[in-house]
Amino acid sequence: MRVWLGEGGDRWRQVEIRRENTEAYEGALLADGFEEALIGMGHRFTYAVAVYDRRKCLDILIARDGMTDEEAEEYFSFNTEGAFIGEHTPVFLDVTP
């Protein structure tokens, strides 16, 4: 499984993870620093993807990096959500109550 290491599309690296049923999600990419926002794993067509709560990702940027809501939205939208790294790029879900 590859893990996101920060800004820039070239900063993904291969790591070994240990979870039950990892074979079903082989190749899925995880967004480093947003572990608390990970809500599950899924598939986009036949590709395994990690699924994140978008609002929790923004809250992490606000709390961890001291960003305003607007700064977090702009940063996240461009640097994380907008970074297409291939078929296994994570999905950021707008969770509604």
Side-chain angles (χ1 to χ4, degrees):
M1 183 169 284
R2 292 188 293 173
V3 176
W4 174 244
L5 296 176
E7 292 182 48
D10 60 342
R11 299 200 53 200
W12 295 85
R13 69 179 170 92
Q14 200 76 23
V15 298
E16 182 180 339
I17 64 161
R18 291 181 176 87
R19 286 191 185 151
E20 288 187 37
N21 203 19
T22 55
E23 291 174 13
Y25 304 108
E26 186 175 339
L29 302 171
L30 299 176
D32 187 46
F34 295 107
E35 293 82 7
E36 295 299 315
L38 181 65
I39 57 175
M41 304 296 284
H43 289 88
R44 179 185 303 123
F45 301 104
T46 59
Y47 303 104
V49 295
V51 181
Y52 291 86
D53 181 326
R54 188 178 191 283
R55 180 70 245 171
K56 284 185 182 178
C57 290
L58 295 173
D59 291 342
I60 289 168
L61 290 173
I62 292 165
R64 183 188 67 202
D65 300 335
M67 295 182 184
T68 65
D69 196 56
E70 185 176 303
E71 290 169 335
E73 177 67 45
E74 182 178 338
Y75 177 88
F76 180 78
S77 183
F78 182 78
N79 292 295
T80 305
E81 188 176 46
F84 180 76
I85 313 298
E87 293 88 1
H88 297 285
T89 300
V91 172
F92 299 95
L93 181 66
D94 286 317
V95 178
T96 55

